[in-house]
Structures are given as structure tokens and as C-alpha cells.
Amino acid sequence: MNMEGQKKNKRVAVLVGCNYPNTSNELHGCINDVLAMKDTLEKRFGFDPSNIELLTDAPHSSNKLPTGANIKEALANMVDGAEAGDVLYFHYSGHGTRIPSKKHGHPFRHEEAIVPCDFNLITDLDLRQLVNRVPKGASLTILSDSCHSGGLIDKEKEQIGPSSSTEKDSTSKPSCSTPKAIPFESIMQQLSWLTKVNTTDIGTHLLELFGSEASLRFRIPAPDLDLLEPLRPDEGILLSGCQADETSADMNPNVACGQKAYGAFSNAVEMVLRENSPLLSNRDLVIRARKKLETQGFQQHPCLYCSDENANASFLCEMFNT
């Protein structure tokens, strides 16, 4: 890493866990996922606890709630305060969804989004705009343990994705698993109930509820969306829990036996990191996490989207301690 005088490059993280407690969309392992990653960031990757912001919806927690506005504010503060050489990390564990695409020629005819606790969707376009602001020489790694998370950085280059998959697994899913997805129809039903507006346009509902805090995808006219192209082979790195047309699993095993709930992908990443020495590349991490999930019987295929250079770079720019 480049050093300027005695100045040390920063390692900064935003960790978001959404369990949606006491709702029909409740999950169980998402907060455990980010707490486990917080410990890993501090002990293995040298993150200072003061540079890790945790947003969870645990009842009676002192953490900020993971609303759409709070998540975007935390991410903006992290990116806007970054300089060359800094390592930035965003870990999201929660529901994902897919919304109909307004762009011609989109491979899945849907756009990917994550679902904050207030349903103020954060879309692939918001994350593209965030990556475009990362200073040259810094890096932003996004790990999204959510359904339909493949392609969550708009227009990012696929390194490991649908084209890397063989035929679908025929094995059954492990018991006690819940898909980390809220169908578009359920999102619309919730938003319509909140706005009392009679329209099938999701953007109208989100703008009514959240105004300027709504996703860029609903605030920018469709013809202008293509202006948010990647500025160059950028410093965005996406590790997704599954492909854009797949679901990710939330596991809620037997609590009576002392087993904690967890997200399948987050847990697979933690297992791979524990079993392997430093300097594990982003590509190797995703490939090994895929194998873990396959061995465990999960029907989800983690993906990697980033530049060729970052695919072979070590996860979170890990270095040997000297």
C-alpha cells in the first residue's frame, strides 16, 4: 500500500443486517451474519472498531436502523471520506427483490435491489453511482447475502456468474431454510397500503413515501439512466450470494441445541476464510464458497463482478503482517 509520510490508509466498513422482526418477512440470521463479519474484520483484516458502522433492526438496539436513507447516508460518508489506498467494505444481509426493467435488452428484464427495513429500495443503479465516486486507488467491496443479488452493481463486469454455472443442482434444499427474497408483488402490496395511491408504478409509490431519499432509478428519467455508465474499469467489487435469478438462504437451525441462525452465503465465506491462509483472492473466495454451498446442498451460486485486476486481488486487500 502507498504511504504518505506517517499517514496510514484507512479500512472502513458499513455492515447492515435486516431481520424484519415481527413481520411476515422475518428472517433470523442476518444480524448474526454482520456481527460475525465485524469480528472477522477486526481480528483478521485489521479494521479499527471505530471505522465500522453497524446498522441493524434488532429490537432495543442502540444501532441505527437500516432504513434506505440511513444505509445510503452511511455508504456516502464512507465513500466521500475515502482517499487513494483506502479499503472500503459494505456487507448486506437481508432481503433482496427484483423490479421490472425499463431498459431494452436487459438480460433478465429485471433490476436488482436490496430491501431496507422501511422498504425504501436501494437498487443496482444506486450502487453503480456509489462505485463511480470511489477515488482512484481505493477499493469498494460489496458482499450482498440476499436473493437476486447477482448484478447488484449495474454494468459491472462478470467474472463468475450465470455463464460460469453448470446445470442446476437436483439436490433438495436443507431444512430450516427461508429464501431471502420479497416478491415484487408483495413489495407493491406493502407500498400501496402505505401510500393509498392507486397505481401499479412502483416509482410513484416510492417517490410519494420517500421523496428525494428514493432510489435514483425512480428519480431520474429513463432516457438519462444510461448516463450513469462506469467511468472506467472501476474499483467496485461485488460478491453476491447468488445469481440474479436465484434465491439465497437464511438458515434457522435448532436454537435449543445452541445453533445460531445464519445466512448460507455469509456463513460459507466465514468458513472459507477460517480454513485458508491470507492473500485469498476474490475469485478464489467465491469459487470456494460456491463449493461449500454445493456440498451443503444449497441451490444458489455465488457470483463475482469486478475488473480483471480486482478478480485476482486479495479479498479486502489483505497483506501479510510484517
PDB file of all heavy atoms in Angstrom, residues 197-229:
ATOM      1  N   VAL A 197     -52.234   5.118  -2.766  1.00  0.00           N
ATOM      2  CA  VAL A 197     -52.283   5.588  -4.151  1.00  0.00           C
ATOM      3  C   VAL A 197     -52.598   4.405  -5.063  1.00  0.00           C
ATOM      4  O   VAL A 197     -51.972   3.340  -4.947  1.00  0.00           O
ATOM      5  CB  VAL A 197     -50.950   6.248  -4.571  1.00  0.00           C
ATOM      6  CG1 VAL A 197     -50.979   6.621  -6.048  1.00  0.00           C
ATOM      7  CG2 VAL A 197     -50.671   7.473  -3.712  1.00  0.00           C
ATOM      8  N   ASN A 198     -53.535   4.585  -5.965  1.00  0.00           N
ATOM      9  CA  ASN A 198     -53.951   3.504  -6.861  1.00  0.00           C
ATOM     10  C   ASN A 198     -53.138   3.550  -8.153  1.00  0.00           C
ATOM     11  O   ASN A 198     -53.510   4.181  -9.131  1.00  0.00           O
ATOM     12  CB  ASN A 198     -55.450   3.626  -7.170  1.00  0.00           C
ATOM     13  CG  ASN A 198     -55.954   2.469  -8.025  1.00  0.00           C
ATOM     14  OD1 ASN A 198     -55.325   1.414  -8.084  1.00  0.00           O
ATOM     15  ND2 ASN A 198     -57.082   2.682  -8.687  1.00  0.00           N
ATOM     16  N   THR A 199     -51.965   2.899  -8.134  1.00  0.00           N
ATOM     17  CA  THR A 199     -51.111   2.819  -9.326  1.00  0.00           C
ATOM     18  C   THR A 199     -50.262   1.571  -9.239  1.00  0.00           C
ATOM     19  O   THR A 199     -49.931   1.103  -8.129  1.00  0.00           O
ATOM     20  CB  THR A 199     -50.200   4.050  -9.466  1.00  0.00           C
ATOM     21  OG1 THR A 199     -49.360   3.887 -10.619  1.00  0.00           O
ATOM     22  CG2 THR A 199     -49.328   4.240  -8.243  1.00  0.00           C
ATOM     23  N   THR A 200     -49.914   1.024 -10.398  1.00  0.00           N
ATOM     24  CA  THR A 200     -49.035  -0.138 -10.441  1.00  0.00           C
ATOM     25  C   THR A 200     -47.585   0.260 -10.675  1.00  0.00           C
ATOM     26  O   THR A 200     -46.728  -0.594 -10.849  1.00  0.00           O
ATOM     27  CB  THR A 200     -49.472  -1.107 -11.562  1.00  0.00           C
ATOM     28  OG1 THR A 200     -49.464  -0.398 -12.811  1.00  0.00           O
ATOM     29  CG2 THR A 200     -50.860  -1.660 -11.283  1.00  0.00           C
ATOM     30  N   ASP A 201     -47.295   1.558 -10.665  1.00  0.00           N
ATOM     31  CA  ASP A 201     -45.927   2.043 -10.874  1.00  0.00           C
ATOM     32  C   ASP A 201     -45.219   2.153  -9.528  1.00  0.00           C
ATOM     33  O   ASP A 201     -45.575   2.994  -8.691  1.00  0.00           O
ATOM     34  CB  ASP A 201     -45.949   3.404 -11.570  1.00  0.00           C
ATOM     35  CG  ASP A 201     -44.548   3.954 -11.759  1.00  0.00           C
ATOM     36  OD1 ASP A 201     -43.716   3.252 -12.369  1.00  0.00           O
ATOM     37  OD2 ASP A 201     -44.275   5.067 -11.273  1.00  0.00           O
ATOM     38  N   ILE A 202     -44.212   1.317  -9.328  1.00  0.00           N
ATOM     39  CA  ILE A 202     -43.527   1.289  -8.039  1.00  0.00           C
ATOM     40  C   ILE A 202     -42.814   2.606  -7.754  1.00  0.00           C
ATOM     41  O   ILE A 202     -42.745   3.062  -6.604  1.00  0.00           O
ATOM     42  CB  ILE A 202     -42.537   0.108  -7.964  1.00  0.00           C
ATOM     43  CG1 ILE A 202     -41.989  -0.028  -6.534  1.00  0.00           C
ATOM     44  CG2 ILE A 202     -41.417   0.260  -8.992  1.00  0.00           C
ATOM     45  CD1 ILE A 202     -41.181  -1.289  -6.309  1.00  0.00           C
ATOM     46  N   GLY A 203     -42.308   3.262  -8.801  1.00  0.00           N
ATOM     47  CA  GLY A 203     -41.625   4.536  -8.602  1.00  0.00           C
ATOM     48  C   GLY A 203     -42.527   5.592  -8.005  1.00  0.00           C
ATOM     49  O   GLY A 203     -42.102   6.380  -7.156  1.00  0.00           O
ATOM     50  N   THR A 204     -43.788   5.620  -8.430  1.00  0.00           N
ATOM     51  CA  THR A 204     -44.746   6.584  -7.884  1.00  0.00           C
ATOM     52  C   THR A 204     -44.904   6.390  -6.388  1.00  0.00           C
ATOM     53  O   THR A 204     -44.909   7.362  -5.609  1.00  0.00           O
ATOM     54  CB  THR A 204     -46.106   6.445  -8.587  1.00  0.00           C
ATOM     55  OG1 THR A 204     -45.944   6.705  -9.978  1.00  0.00           O
ATOM     56  CG2 THR A 204     -47.135   7.415  -8.005  1.00  0.00           C
ATOM     57  N   HIS A 205     -45.023   5.144  -5.955  1.00  0.00           N
ATOM     58  CA  HIS A 205     -45.173   4.861  -4.523  1.00  0.00           C
ATOM     59  C   HIS A 205     -43.928   5.274  -3.740  1.00  0.00           C
ATOM     60  O   HIS A 205     -44.027   5.919  -2.682  1.00  0.00           O
ATOM     61  CB  HIS A 205     -45.441   3.370  -4.310  1.00  0.00           C
ATOM     62  CG  HIS A 205     -46.766   2.900  -4.811  1.00  0.00           C
ATOM     63  ND1 HIS A 205     -47.967   3.326  -4.272  1.00  0.00           N
ATOM     64  CD2 HIS A 205     -47.087   2.049  -5.809  1.00  0.00           C
ATOM     65  CE1 HIS A 205     -48.966   2.734  -4.904  1.00  0.00           C
ATOM     66  NE2 HIS A 205     -48.465   1.965  -5.853  1.00  0.00           N
ATOM     67  N   LEU A 206     -42.752   4.916  -4.247  1.00  0.00           N
ATOM     68  CA  LEU A 206     -41.520   5.220  -3.522  1.00  0.00           C
ATOM     69  C   LEU A 206     -41.257   6.723  -3.455  1.00  0.00           C
ATOM     70  O   LEU A 206     -40.801   7.235  -2.423  1.00  0.00           O
ATOM     71  CB  LEU A 206     -40.339   4.497  -4.174  1.00  0.00           C
ATOM     72  CG  LEU A 206     -40.363   2.974  -4.001  1.00  0.00           C
ATOM     73  CD1 LEU A 206     -39.341   2.304  -4.914  1.00  0.00           C
ATOM     74  CD2 LEU A 206     -40.085   2.594  -2.549  1.00  0.00           C
ATOM     75  N   LEU A 207     -41.552   7.436  -4.523  1.00  0.00           N
ATOM     76  CA  LEU A 207     -41.388   8.894  -4.505  1.00  0.00           C
ATOM     77  C   LEU A 207     -42.389   9.547  -3.564  1.00  0.00           C
ATOM     78  O   LEU A 207     -42.070  10.538  -2.889  1.00  0.00           O
ATOM     79  CB  LEU A 207     -41.536   9.449  -5.919  1.00  0.00           C
ATOM     80  CG  LEU A 207     -40.386   9.120  -6.883  1.00  0.00           C
ATOM     81  CD1 LEU A 207     -40.754   9.480  -8.312  1.00  0.00           C
ATOM     82  CD2 LEU A 207     -39.107   9.826  -6.469  1.00  0.00           C
ATOM     83  N   GLU A 208     -43.596   9.006  -3.506  1.00  0.00           N
ATOM     84  CA  GLU A 208     -44.610   9.537  -2.590  1.00  0.00           C
ATOM     85  C   GLU A 208     -44.171   9.375  -1.143  1.00  0.00           C
ATOM     86  O   GLU A 208     -44.348  10.265  -0.307  1.00  0.00           O
ATOM     87  CB  GLU A 208     -45.940   8.810  -2.828  1.00  0.00           C
ATOM     88  CG  GLU A 208     -47.064   9.173  -1.853  1.00  0.00           C
ATOM     89  CD  GLU A 208     -47.637  10.564  -2.092  1.00  0.00           C
ATOM     90  OE1 GLU A 208     -47.436  11.129  -3.187  1.00  0.00           O
ATOM     91  OE2 GLU A 208     -48.293  11.085  -1.162  1.00  0.00           O
ATOM     92  N   LEU A 209     -43.575   8.227  -0.832  1.00  0.00           N
ATOM     93  CA  LEU A 209     -43.190   7.934   0.549  1.00  0.00           C
ATOM     94  C   LEU A 209     -41.853   8.557   0.947  1.00  0.00           C
ATOM     95  O   LEU A 209     -41.701   9.048   2.069  1.00  0.00           O
ATOM     96  CB  LEU A 209     -43.093   6.420   0.745  1.00  0.00           C
ATOM     97  CG  LEU A 209     -44.405   5.641   0.767  1.00  0.00           C
ATOM     98  CD1 LEU A 209     -44.131   4.147   0.693  1.00  0.00           C
ATOM     99  CD2 LEU A 209     -45.205   5.974   2.026  1.00  0.00           C
ATOM    100  N   PHE A 210     -40.886   8.552   0.021  1.00  0.00           N
ATOM    101  CA  PHE A 210     -39.518   8.895   0.404  1.00  0.00           C
ATOM    102  C   PHE A 210     -38.931  10.110  -0.317  1.00  0.00           C
ATOM    103  O   PHE A 210     -37.848  10.560   0.047  1.00  0.00           O
ATOM    104  CB  PHE A 210     -38.611   7.673   0.186  1.00  0.00           C
ATOM    105  CG  PHE A 210     -39.075   6.449   0.929  1.00  0.00           C
ATOM    106  CD1 PHE A 210     -39.598   5.361   0.241  1.00  0.00           C
ATOM    107  CD2 PHE A 210     -39.024   6.404   2.304  1.00  0.00           C
ATOM    108  CE1 PHE A 210     -40.035   4.230   0.918  1.00  0.00           C
ATOM    109  CE2 PHE A 210     -39.469   5.277   2.996  1.00  0.00           C
ATOM    110  CZ  PHE A 210     -39.975   4.191   2.304  1.00  0.00           C
ATOM    111  N   GLY A 211     -39.628  10.619  -1.324  1.00  0.00           N
ATOM    112  CA  GLY A 211     -39.183  11.834  -1.997  1.00  0.00           C
ATOM    113  C   GLY A 211     -37.749  11.734  -2.499  1.00  0.00           C
ATOM    114  O   GLY A 211     -37.373  10.795  -3.195  1.00  0.00           O
ATOM    115  N   SER A 212     -36.921  12.698  -2.100  1.00  0.00           N
ATOM    116  CA  SER A 212     -35.532  12.760  -2.572  1.00  0.00           C
ATOM    117  C   SER A 212     -34.667  11.640  -2.010  1.00  0.00           C
ATOM    118  O   SER A 212     -33.537  11.440  -2.456  1.00  0.00           O
ATOM    119  CB  SER A 212     -34.910  14.109  -2.209  1.00  0.00           C
ATOM    120  OG  SER A 212     -34.871  14.271  -0.798  1.00  0.00           O
ATOM    121  N   GLU A 213     -35.195  10.892  -1.017  1.00  0.00           N
ATOM    122  CA  GLU A 213     -34.448   9.770  -0.466  1.00  0.00           C
ATOM    123  C   GLU A 213     -34.700   8.477  -1.236  1.00  0.00           C
ATOM    124  O   GLU A 213     -34.104   7.441  -0.937  1.00  0.00           O
ATOM    125  CB  GLU A 213     -34.827   9.557   1.013  1.00  0.00           C
ATOM    126  CG  GLU A 213     -34.490  10.714   1.934  1.00  0.00           C
ATOM    127  CD  GLU A 213     -32.982  10.943   2.076  1.00  0.00           C
ATOM    128  OE1 GLU A 213     -32.215  10.057   1.657  1.00  0.00           O
ATOM    129  OE2 GLU A 213     -32.588  11.991   2.589  1.00  0.00           O
ATOM    130  N   ALA A 214     -35.602   8.511  -2.220  1.00  0.00           N
ATOM    131  CA  ALA A 214     -35.874   7.321  -3.027  1.00  0.00           C
ATOM    132  C   ALA A 214     -34.701   7.033  -3.955  1.00  0.00           C
ATOM    133  O   ALA A 214     -33.838   7.879  -4.193  1.00  0.00           O
ATOM    134  CB  ALA A 214     -37.156   7.511  -3.837  1.00  0.00           C
ATOM    135  N   SER A 215     -34.675   5.826  -4.489  1.00  0.00           N
ATOM    136  CA  SER A 215     -33.585   5.407  -5.375  1.00  0.00           C
ATOM    137  C   SER A 215     -33.483   6.295  -6.607  1.00  0.00           C
ATOM    138  O   SER A 215     -34.483   6.777  -7.145  1.00  0.00           O
ATOM    139  CB  SER A 215     -33.808   3.958  -5.816  1.00  0.00           C
ATOM    140  OG  SER A 215     -32.926   3.604  -6.868  1.00  0.00           O
ATOM    141  N   LEU A 216     -32.244   6.471  -7.070  1.00  0.00           N
ATOM    142  CA  LEU A 216     -32.002   7.196  -8.311  1.00  0.00           C
ATOM    143  C   LEU A 216     -32.805   6.609  -9.469  1.00  0.00           C
ATOM    144  O   LEU A 216     -33.220   7.328 -10.381  1.00  0.00           O
ATOM    145  CB  LEU A 216     -30.521   7.126  -8.679  1.00  0.00           C
ATOM    146  CG  LEU A 216     -29.553   8.046  -7.939  1.00  0.00           C
ATOM    147  CD1 LEU A 216     -28.125   7.660  -8.304  1.00  0.00           C
ATOM    148  CD2 LEU A 216     -29.818   9.494  -8.300  1.00  0.00           C
ATOM    149  N   ARG A 217     -33.010   5.310  -9.436  1.00  0.00           N
ATOM    150  CA  ARG A 217     -33.710   4.650 -10.540  1.00  0.00           C
ATOM    151  C   ARG A 217     -35.120   5.206 -10.727  1.00  0.00           C
ATOM    152  O   ARG A 217     -35.665   5.175 -11.831  1.00  0.00           O
ATOM    153  CB  ARG A 217     -33.763   3.143 -10.298  1.00  0.00           C
ATOM    154  CG  ARG A 217     -34.341   2.399 -11.488  1.00  0.00           C
ATOM    155  CD  ARG A 217     -34.014   0.928 -11.456  1.00  0.00           C
ATOM    156  NE  ARG A 217     -32.614   0.606 -11.641  1.00  0.00           N
ATOM    157  CZ  ARG A 217     -31.970   0.693 -12.798  1.00  0.00           C
ATOM    158  NH1 ARG A 217     -32.594   1.131 -13.884  1.00  0.00           N
ATOM    159  NH2 ARG A 217     -30.705   0.362 -12.891  1.00  0.00           N
ATOM    160  N   PHE A 218     -35.713   5.748  -9.682  1.00  0.00           N
ATOM    161  CA  PHE A 218     -37.069   6.271  -9.774  1.00  0.00           C
ATOM    162  C   PHE A 218     -37.106   7.798  -9.830  1.00  0.00           C
ATOM    163  O   PHE A 218     -38.147   8.386 -10.073  1.00  0.00           O
ATOM    164  CB  PHE A 218     -37.902   5.771  -8.581  1.00  0.00           C
ATOM    165  CG  PHE A 218     -37.781   4.298  -8.374  1.00  0.00           C
ATOM    166  CD1 PHE A 218     -37.132   3.777  -7.264  1.00  0.00           C
ATOM    167  CD2 PHE A 218     -38.278   3.410  -9.315  1.00  0.00           C
ATOM    168  CE1 PHE A 218     -37.000   2.415  -7.083  1.00  0.00           C
ATOM    169  CE2 PHE A 218     -38.158   2.039  -9.151  1.00  0.00           C
ATOM    170  CZ  PHE A 218     -37.506   1.548  -8.032  1.00  0.00           C
ATOM    171  N   ARG A 219     -35.951   8.421  -9.618  1.00  0.00           N
ATOM    172  CA  ARG A 219     -35.892   9.886  -9.644  1.00  0.00           C
ATOM    173  C   ARG A 219     -35.327  10.431 -10.946  1.00  0.00           C
ATOM    174  O   ARG A 219     -35.506  11.606 -11.249  1.00  0.00           O
ATOM    175  CB  ARG A 219     -35.046  10.396  -8.473  1.00  0.00           C
ATOM    176  CG  ARG A 219     -35.694  10.161  -7.122  1.00  0.00           C
ATOM    177  CD  ARG A 219     -34.977  10.876  -5.997  1.00  0.00           C
ATOM    178  NE  ARG A 219     -33.725  10.239  -5.624  1.00  0.00           N
ATOM    179  CZ  ARG A 219     -32.531  10.822  -5.705  1.00  0.00           C
ATOM    180  NH1 ARG A 219     -32.412  12.038  -6.198  1.00  0.00           N
ATOM    181  NH2 ARG A 219     -31.452  10.176  -5.316  1.00  0.00           N
ATOM    182  N   ILE A 220     -34.627   9.589 -11.719  1.00  0.00           N
ATOM    183  CA  ILE A 220     -34.017  10.035 -12.975  1.00  0.00           C
ATOM    184  C   ILE A 220     -34.855   9.531 -14.142  1.00  0.00           C
ATOM    185  O   ILE A 220     -35.238   8.356 -14.167  1.00  0.00           O
ATOM    186  CB  ILE A 220     -32.580   9.488 -13.092  1.00  0.00           C
ATOM    187  CG1 ILE A 220     -31.702  10.084 -11.986  1.00  0.00           C
ATOM    188  CG2 ILE A 220     -31.984   9.800 -14.455  1.00  0.00           C
ATOM    189  CD1 ILE A 220     -30.279   9.551 -11.986  1.00  0.00           C
ATOM    190  N   PRO A 221     -35.179  10.392 -15.111  1.00  0.00           N
ATOM    191  CA  PRO A 221     -35.937   9.928 -16.290  1.00  0.00           C
ATOM    192  C   PRO A 221     -35.221   8.777 -16.982  1.00  0.00           C
ATOM    193  O   PRO A 221     -33.990   8.755 -17.063  1.00  0.00           O
ATOM    194  CB  PRO A 221     -35.980  11.178 -17.191  1.00  0.00           C
ATOM    195  CG  PRO A 221     -35.761  12.328 -16.261  1.00  0.00           C
ATOM    196  CD  PRO A 221     -34.862  11.822 -15.175  1.00  0.00           C
ATOM    197  N   ALA A 222     -36.010   7.825 -17.477  1.00  0.00           N
ATOM    198  CA  ALA A 222     -35.445   6.615 -18.095  1.00  0.00           C
ATOM    199  C   ALA A 222     -34.387   6.909 -19.160  1.00  0.00           C
ATOM    200  O   ALA A 222     -33.346   6.244 -19.192  1.00  0.00           O
ATOM    201  CB  ALA A 222     -36.567   5.755 -18.670  1.00  0.00           C
ATOM    202  N   PRO A 223     -34.583   7.893 -20.055  1.00  0.00           N
ATOM    203  CA  PRO A 223     -33.554   8.147 -21.083  1.00  0.00           C
ATOM    204  C   PRO A 223     -32.211   8.584 -20.509  1.00  0.00           C
ATOM    205  O   PRO A 223     -31.178   8.464 -21.171  1.00  0.00           O
ATOM    206  CB  PRO A 223     -34.174   9.266 -21.942  1.00  0.00           C
ATOM    207  CG  PRO A 223     -35.641   9.159 -21.704  1.00  0.00           C
ATOM    208  CD  PRO A 223     -35.773   8.730 -20.274  1.00  0.00           C
ATOM    209  N   ASP A 224     -32.223   9.122 -19.274  1.00  0.00           N
ATOM    210  CA  ASP A 224     -30.981   9.619 -18.678  1.00  0.00           C
ATOM    211  C   ASP A 224     -30.238   8.555 -17.871  1.00  0.00           C
ATOM    212  O   ASP A 224     -29.121   8.795 -17.410  1.00  0.00           O
ATOM    213  CB  ASP A 224     -31.261  10.814 -17.765  1.00  0.00           C
ATOM    214  CG  ASP A 224     -31.795  12.012 -18.539  1.00  0.00           C
ATOM    215  OD1 ASP A 224     -31.514  12.082 -19.750  1.00  0.00           O
ATOM    216  OD2 ASP A 224     -32.497  12.840 -17.945  1.00  0.00           O
ATOM    217  N   LEU A 225     -30.847   7.370 -17.690  1.00  0.00           N
ATOM    218  CA  LEU A 225     -30.230   6.353 -16.852  1.00  0.00           C
ATOM    219  C   LEU A 225     -28.900   5.879 -17.426  1.00  0.00           C
ATOM    220  O   LEU A 225     -27.982   5.529 -16.683  1.00  0.00           O
ATOM    221  CB  LEU A 225     -31.174   5.156 -16.686  1.00  0.00           C
ATOM    222  CG  LEU A 225     -32.460   5.428 -15.886  1.00  0.00           C
ATOM    223  CD1 LEU A 225     -33.314   4.167 -15.832  1.00  0.00           C
ATOM    224  CD2 LEU A 225     -32.127   5.908 -14.478  1.00  0.00           C
ATOM    225  N   ASP A 226     -28.783   5.866 -18.755  1.00  0.00           N
ATOM    226  CA  ASP A 226     -27.547   5.393 -19.373  1.00  0.00           C
ATOM    227  C   ASP A 226     -26.374   6.337 -19.155  1.00  0.00           C
ATOM    228  O   ASP A 226     -25.236   6.005 -19.469  1.00  0.00           O
ATOM    229  CB  ASP A 226     -27.757   5.172 -20.879  1.00  0.00           C
ATOM    230  CG  ASP A 226     -28.589   3.934 -21.155  1.00  0.00           C
ATOM    231  OD1 ASP A 226     -28.583   3.027 -20.296  1.00  0.00           O
ATOM    232  OD2 ASP A 226     -29.242   3.880 -22.210  1.00  0.00           O
ATOM    233  N   LEU A 227     -26.654   7.547 -18.634  1.00  0.00           N
ATOM    234  CA  LEU A 227     -25.566   8.476 -18.339  1.00  0.00           C
ATOM    235  C   LEU A 227     -24.716   7.981 -17.176  1.00  0.00           C
ATOM    236  O   LEU A 227     -23.582   8.402 -16.999  1.00  0.00           O
ATOM    237  CB  LEU A 227     -26.136   9.871 -18.016  1.00  0.00           C
ATOM    238  CG  LEU A 227     -26.895  10.560 -19.154  1.00  0.00           C
ATOM    239  CD1 LEU A 227     -27.457  11.894 -18.664  1.00  0.00           C
ATOM    240  CD2 LEU A 227     -25.984  10.776 -20.364  1.00  0.00           C
ATOM    241  N   LEU A 228     -25.295   7.085 -16.352  1.00  0.00           N
ATOM    242  CA  LEU A 228     -24.566   6.557 -15.206  1.00  0.00           C
ATOM    243  C   LEU A 228     -23.779   5.309 -15.614  1.00  0.00           C
ATOM    244  O   LEU A 228     -23.900   4.248 -15.034  1.00  0.00           O
ATOM    245  CB  LEU A 228     -25.532   6.239 -14.060  1.00  0.00           C
ATOM    246  CG  LEU A 228     -26.056   7.455 -13.307  1.00  0.00           C
ATOM    247  CD1 LEU A 228     -27.150   7.054 -12.341  1.00  0.00           C
ATOM    248  CD2 LEU A 228     -24.936   8.153 -12.544  1.00  0.00           C
ATOM    249  N   GLU A 229     -22.967   5.447 -16.642  1.00  0.00           N
ATOM    250  CA  GLU A 229     -22.108   4.365 -17.093  1.00  0.00           C
ATOM    251  C   GLU A 229     -20.878   4.275 -16.181  1.00  0.00           C
ATOM    252  O   GLU A 229     -20.511   5.252 -15.522  1.00  0.00           O
ATOM    253  CB  GLU A 229     -21.643   4.627 -18.532  1.00  0.00           C
ATOM    254  CG  GLU A 229     -22.747   4.593 -19.567  1.00  0.00           C
ATOM    255  CD  GLU A 229     -23.169   3.172 -19.903  1.00  0.00           C
ATOM    256  OE1 GLU A 229     -22.435   2.232 -19.544  1.00  0.00           O
ATOM    257  OE2 GLU A 229     -24.243   3.024 -20.504  1.00  0.00           O
TER     258      GLU A 229
END
